[in-house]
Amino acid sequence: MDMLIGKGCEEVLQLGCNLPLSPEQPFGPWVVSICPAYCDTTRAMCFCGQGTKYPNRPVAEACGFKIIPPSEPGGPKLTDWTKADFENIFTTNGSLPGWCNVDPQDAYSAKVKFKDECDCKYDGLWGQFCEIPSVCSCLNQCSGNGHCRGGFCQCNSGYYGIDCSIPSATSPIQEWPAWLRPSKVDIPDITNSAGGFMNMKAVVKKRRPLIYVYDLPPEFNSHLLEGRHFKFQCVNRIYTENNRTFWTDQLYGAQTALYESILASPHRTLNGEEADFFYVPVLDSCIITRADDAPHLSMRTQEHMGLRSFFTLNFYKKVYDHIVEQHPYWNRSSGRDHIWFFSWDEGACYAPKEIWNSTMLVHWGNTNTKHKHSTTAYWADIWDQIPLDKRGDHPCFDPEKDIVLPAWKRPDPGAIWLKLWARPRKERTTLFYFNGNLGPAYENGRPEETYSMGIRQRLAKEFGSTPNKKGELGKQHTPNVTVTPLRSSRYYEEIASSLFCGVLPGDGWSGRMEDSILQGCIPVIIQVQKAFLVSALSSTEDGIFLPYENVLNYKSFAVRIQEDDIPNLVKILRAINETEIEFMLANVRGIWQRFLYRDSILLEAERQKKVFSKEDDWSVELSKLGKEDDVFSTFIQVLHYKLHNDSWRRHFSRQKKDSGLPKACFRTN
């Protein structure tokens, strides 16, 4: 099925593989989709094509181009993107490393060679020669009512929506999905109705808040999923060759997880007139991994100055233009009841000015009270250079209206089975633990001095427990303090054996907060130069808000240290008495599931139970957990609070909505 666009889906979308050609670059400049073979223009992906033994075998990236041997022993191999490797990918000569004609059985038995640079990056293919088909990743796996095509749901007759979850109007209520089934349905007497069921008006009552999810054109979500060039990008799961769920470590997978939960939630409504909030599902997590590798996205034009942050701003602006032109809901509140998800490292810094009234979901709440400029070390994400007439003059985060959500972390059945979050104080023998990139002083470290605003580098200089390039440890290295760039296979176990764990920025947010909480370690937050007081209603303090920090009392389960106090880190932590430590550990145990996307994971568990008789370990262990509030239920609770306490709603509409709450729950001033 081709990608279709236009109001009536009458136009086939053409996604070329190569950028414009030139004599110096006969295949165009390098992009992930660069192709010397057959280009599938429905996805901008490269395949062997007709005339080969395996026409549907991918020819991804370096596979199709000449490889330049290392210039010195142990040096890297390079790819010459100007010279196609027709001989090695199309050859039928068994003595050469062919690819498009290599029989898998012969290659596995070492009878013939093949090109090492060729692999199976595309979704839905496994095996060393891409010979094993598997299920692709789609939102809610098309709810069992359609076929997943690598990110795009082709719905069965009678179902529609991005995840095929919406039944036709003629479907009996018994066939409605769980999210659509109301808490209460009032059906009038149709005995005397001439039209029978066709003219019947049933009143459906559901629990608030009610969320309307825009059904956007596929270019803003499903096409981005379908066109991703590496199966692990921007999704929280893929499927193995046996169609078993494989959870990814993709930090940006939170966007998919939340989207699925909203689509399947009883808080979802199809009636925009009764909605309390409007969710705008733009998958910018896919743009992160696609903006500079897909010719049809045209990021390399002068308009975007080569900045994917600027490109994404314009992407969101297109969505804004669409919903304002095609839907009636924006203008009634100037977008204040709309919700947008910005999953990028610095959050919503580059949100177009037109949507800033809305609620922004981010992973890093930079109020810009200290840093009034971009803090990322990655040049393509810098937003300072975006013209003010596009971005406007707004901070990256406003704690009065925006929400910081936890990043995605895959479910680890071993960690859950061992209850690492509940490990007692006596078994936490490491005083302080931090594992992550420590900058240019270390092998494979980020080369920019500005990475992490220099905070990780400063921590390593004092307490580094792994030698840097010069063979030096930290000036105050001590045995029960671990600060290392080397990721261990026992990473979660090491966190669970630690009392305090560092939460430091990367190019903005990192996943260390979630790692700490999910393994029961007390977070030590070092994010800004000057410590600030946590306030749920003020954005004037100097600081950066972490997940739910404008909701939760971080002082009850975390420690915040000024950057200038890093040399005194050990002294500060040792001064915390045991009573305080036990108090914070208990509070971490009490909130840990608020940092887990359990709802999305269990939705997947239910889908897999219908396919396989034997549950996977992650499904078994997650199903055993208590029903404490997770990321999604906390999100709903925050929206519930906002529904009744956002000041703008007092003047928004005279229309009264039945919340089901007693009057005592409402603010009166």
Side-chain angles (χ1 to χ4, degrees), residues 272-390:
E273 296 302 325
E274 70 172 0
D276 302 307
F277 295 95
F278 295 82
Y279 186 70
V280 189
V282 182
L283 294 182
D284 76 334
S285 57
C286 293
I287 299 175
I288 294 173
T289 54
R290 294 221 63 202
D292 58 357
D293 70 31
H296 66 281
L297 293 181
S298 303
M299 195 204 75
R300 299 191 182 204
T301 63
Q302 292 183 350
E303 177 188 2
H304 304 117
M305 300 186 296
L307 301 174
R308 62 182 189 178
S309 56
F310 195 1
F311 171 83
T312 308
L313 179 149
N314 285 333
F315 208 78
Y316 275 92
K317 177 62 165 56
K318 289 180 182 178
V319 179
Y320 161 79
D321 290 339
H322 171 80
I323 62 178
V324 169
E325 293 170 4
Q326 302 294 327
H327 299 271
Y329 309 120
W330 180 271
N331 287 335
R332 70 182 195 179
S333 69
S334 298
R336 290 183 180 90
D337 51 5
H338 283 56
I339 300 172
W340 307 71
F341 200 145
F342 282 76
S343 64
W344 287 41
D345 295 349
E346 291 188 277
C349 307
Y350 51 88
K353 62 183 181 181
E354 290 84 359
I355 72 172
W356 189 250
N357 281 337
S358 302
T359 294
M360 305 297 172
L361 306 181
V362 299
H363 292 317
W364 202 54
N366 186 357
T367 60
N368 298 93
T369 49
K370 176 180 186 291
H371 299 282
K372 299 182 184 298
H373 56 80
S374 183
T375 58
T376 181
Y378 184 60
W379 68 271
D381 288 349
I382 294 173
W383 47 265
D384 307 72
Q385 303 170 35
I386 298 175
L388 287 179
D389 66 322
K390 301 289 186 181

Side-chain angles (χ1 to χ4, degrees), residues 250-258 341-343 361-364 403-409 509-515 517-518 545-549 552 554 591-597 629-632 634-635 638:
Q250 176 62 251
L251 291 175
Y252 303 115
Q255 197 167 58
T256 301
L258 184 77
F341 200 145
F342 282 76
S343 64
L361 306 181
V362 299
H363 292 317
W364 202 54
I403 304 170
V404 184
L405 292 179
W408 164 260
K409 290 291 177 178
W509 61 272
S510 72
R512 300 306 185 277
M513 187 72 198
E514 293 76 12
D515 288 339
I517 294 291
L518 294 177
F545 285 73
L546 293 168
Y548 302 128
E549 194 167 356
L552 301 177
Y554 263 58
I591 65 166
W592 77 278
Q593 284 202 51
R594 293 187 187 272
F595 290 74
L596 177 69
Y597 284 85
D629 295 319
D630 73 334
V631 169
F632 185 66
T634 305
F635 170 69
V638 173

Side-chain angles (χ1 to χ4, degrees), residues 494-509:
E494 289 172 352
I495 295 176
S497 300
S498 303
L499 190 56
F500 297 100
C501 294
V503 177
L504 284 68
D507 274 317
W509 61 272

Side-chain angles (χ1 to χ4, degrees), residues 78-96:
L78 302 176
T79 303
D80 187 343
W81 300 105
T82 67
K83 296 179 181 178
D85 192 11
F86 296 129
E87 182 182 34
N88 283 334
I89 61 173
F90 293 129
T91 182
T92 56
N93 186 337
S95 64
L96 293 173

Side-chain angles (χ1 to χ4, degrees), residues 235-270:
V235 293
N236 62 349
R237 68 177 183 279
I238 58 174
Y239 294 89
T240 69
E241 59 269 35
N242 298 318
N243 291 333
R244 289 285 189 176
T245 308
F246 183 93
W247 297 105
T248 75
D249 288 316
Q250 176 62 251
L251 291 175
Y252 303 115
Q255 197 167 58
T256 301
L258 184 77
Y259 191 7
E260 289 185 322
S261 289
I262 295 175
L263 288 172
S265 170
H267 290 276
R268 181 185 176 192
T269 178
L270 296 179

